[in-house]
Amino acid sequence: MKYVVVTGGVVSGLGKGVTASSIGAVLKACGLRVTTIKIDPYLNTDAGTMSPFEHGEVYVLDDGGEVDLDLGNYERFLDIKLTRDHNITTGKVYQAVIDKERRGDYLGKTVQVVPHITDEIQDWIERVAIKPVDGKEGPPDVCVIELGGTIGDIESMPFIEALGQFSYRVGPGNFCLVHVSLVPVLNVVGEQKTKPTQHSVRGLRGLGLAPDILACRSTEPLEEHVTTKLSQFCNVPISSIVNLHDVTNIWHIPLLLRDQKAHEAILKVLDLQLVGKVPREPKLAEWTERASKFDKLKTP
């Protein structure tokens, strides 16, 4: 099983969900079977009791699970059917661990965040990742995991620790970390600033995770010298820096990833070279048509 983990830095609301969905769409277009997991670090068991004004509209799955809106993006982008277990929350993890403790599963051990909570998170990921979600038999090839929140948040610390351990559990060539960050432009100066991303990557490394691919959000396409600077200061090759600038509609994002050869960078980290039938060059003719058609629509 191969895992692609998507984290976010600098600010929330960068579009990690759309990025994760688009990465999945491109890998699926390469001929791979893709599944997804969303990690939400809040203490609620699910999104069902949260105000839509505070958290956005709730998305209801086929099994009745009330989950984060991002799972709706995954289902639409990848044409898959997810279950409530594909949404991991702090509440669910702690509840599972406390239930085990009450049953005596830990045999009198002192139950702690490390290793008990972190092991539960890793076991949950491994258990859910092998579930087929596309109507076919057998486990998928790749699991895209989105970690909600921003690097540095207190509530996401157990998950980051767990993912750090998980990268060693699955071994090199099976784990690819994509970090979504912001490259803002200060109106007064008018230039793209890399410092927020530098700090975000430094924070991520301090927590034991090193990004394989950097996905930089910006209003305009990144200038060449900015990409070079990011590569130098963040220790990420230029070929692994993807620019996700603002587009007219979200259907363009998989095309942006393809055009910048993001799939090749991810497949390289995951030891899945473009040889033979699968994976192949991504076929995104339908996406291209949809994106351009959407641009031409004027009447609401």
Side-chain angles (χ1 to χ4, degrees):
M1 190 69 177
K2 308 283 185 182
Y3 297 91
V4 178
V5 175
V6 180
T7 60
V10 186
V11 290
S12 57
L14 279 178
K16 291 190 301 298
V18 173
T19 305
S21 306
S22 301
I23 288 170
V26 174
L27 293 177
K28 186 184 176 187
C30 289
L32 296 164
R33 290 176 63 200
V34 182
T35 183
T36 57
I37 293 173
K38 172 75 196 287
I39 296 173
D40 282 308
Y42 46 69
L43 277 167
N44 304 56
T45 306
D46 60 34
T49 56
M50 281 189 273
S51 161
F53 295 111
E54 187 171 316
H55 191 74
E57 199 55 75
V58 73
Y59 185 76
V60 184
L61 299 169
D62 279 18
D63 68 352
E66 297 174 320
V67 293
D68 191 87
L69 263 183
D70 284 324
L71 279 89
N73 277 331
Y74 304 155
E75 289 202 345
R76 281 188 291 274
F77 272 66
L78 298 169
D79 196 20
I80 54 178
K81 291 271 187 286
L82 300 172
T83 67
R84 66 180 74 221
D85 285 345
H86 287 85
N87 187 204
I88 305 174
T89 68
T90 302
K92 283 181 185 175
V93 173
Y94 274 77
Q95 201 163 34
V97 169
I98 289 167
D99 288 346
K100 283 183 182 176
E101 185 273 330
R102 292 287 85 188
R103 282 200 307 270
D105 292 7
Y106 297 117
L107 299 173
K109 287 271 195 307
T110 306
V111 181
Q112 295 173 292
V113 174
V114 181
H116 300 104
I117 295 292
T118 50
D119 283 353
E120 180 67 32
I121 293 164
Q122 294 175 72
D123 295 343
W124 194 306
I125 290 171
E126 282 193 324
R127 186 177 75 247
V128 174
I130 58 171
K131 286 185 180 180
V133 290
D134 54 3
K136 296 175 186 168
E137 294 290 317
D141 303 310
V142 181
C143 178
V144 180
I145 303 166
E146 182 197 340
L147 174 61
T150 311
I151 295 301
D153 292 348
I154 290 174
E155 59 255 35
S156 60
M157 290 295 178
F159 292 103
I160 291 171
E161 178 63 33
L163 289 169
Q165 293 175 17
F166 192 63
S167 67
Y168 292 109
R169 186 194 277 205
V170 299
N174 294 316
F175 188 91
C176 175
L177 181 63
V178 181
H179 187 57
V180 184
S181 187
L182 178 69
V183 180
V185 174
L186 295 179
N187 288 338
V188 184
V189 191
E191 65 173 316
Q192 293 172 330
K193 291 291 186 184
T194 62
K195 194 63 76 180
T197 298
Q198 289 178 43
H199 282 304
S200 181
V201 170
R202 191 178 303 153
L204 192 59
R205 286 184 191 280
L207 296 166
L209 286 171
D212 297 297
I213 287 155
L214 213 50
C216 299
R217 288 281 291 109
S218 59
T219 46
E220 299 295 327
L222 286 187
E223 293 162 26
E224 198 173 326
H225 71 91
V226 174
T227 311
T228 309
K229 193 173 176 183
L230 282 168
S231 174
Q232 286 173 336
F233 284 94
C234 299
N235 292 338
V236 176
I238 288 179
S239 59
S240 297
I241 295 178
V242 185
N243 179 212
L244 302 175
H245 54 79
D246 290 354
V247 287
T248 46
N249 67 70
I250 59 171
W251 308 116
H252 282 288
I253 304 294
L255 308 178
L256 264 186
L257 291 170
R258 180 203 60 191
D259 295 344
Q260 295 176 62
K261 305 239 181 293
H263 58 286
E264 288 182 13
I266 293 169
L267 294 173
K268 188 179 175 185
V269 175
L270 296 177
D271 278 351
L272 293 167
Q273 303 302 350
L274 288 165
V275 284
K277 290 181 180 175
V278 175
R280 54 171 190 254
E281 281 295 325
K283 294 182 177 176
L284 287 167
E286 193 187 331
W287 278 94
T288 315
E289 188 189 345
R290 184 186 294 127
S292 59
K293 187 184 280 184
F294 206 92
D295 283 339
K296 290 172 192 154
L297 299 174
K298 293 285 182 283
T299 320

